[in-house]
Amino acid sequence: GYKGFQRRGFRIAAVLDVDADKVGTEIEGVRIQHLDNLPKLARELKIRLGLIAVPAPAAQGVAERLVAAGIQGLLNFAPVTITVP
């Protein structure tokens, strides 16, 4: 629900999660989809920037999936340093 991104010209195009209780629900009008849909969504929505907001142990794997899907930039809010090409 943070409005700061929108005020700076960023549009939240997709929200992804692996939690079955969250997938299918909405946040600020954006339906949460399963992380497995990332490559298709990145392509269809022309997503260039990914935001990582996951527990520390999951951050590196999510970063790798974002890069593999063609995401060009990452904002990491997980409490861990990630390594990407």
Side-chain angles (χ1 to χ4, degrees), residues 9-31:
F10 293 96
R11 179 179 62 88
I12 303 297
V15 177
L16 300 115
D17 206 304
V18 295
D19 185 336
D21 291 334
K22 294 178 182 174
V23 172
T25 63
E26 289 189 7
I27 295 177
E28 298 293 321
V30 179
R31 186 171 172 249

Side-chain angles (χ1 to χ4, degrees), residues 27-73:
I27 295 177
E28 298 293 321
V30 179
R31 186 171 172 249
I32 300 173
Q33 299 192 49
H34 196 279
L35 183 60
D36 289 345
N37 295 334
L38 173 62
K40 179 183 176 200
L41 289 169
R43 220 176 20 258
E44 289 178 356
L45 300 174
K46 298 180 180 160
I47 297 171
R48 297 182 316 213
L49 181 65
L51 188 150
I52 300 172
V54 299
Q60 183 65 47
V62 169
E64 291 168 5
R65 290 179 78 164
L66 288 164
V67 169
I71 305 300
Q72 298 170 343

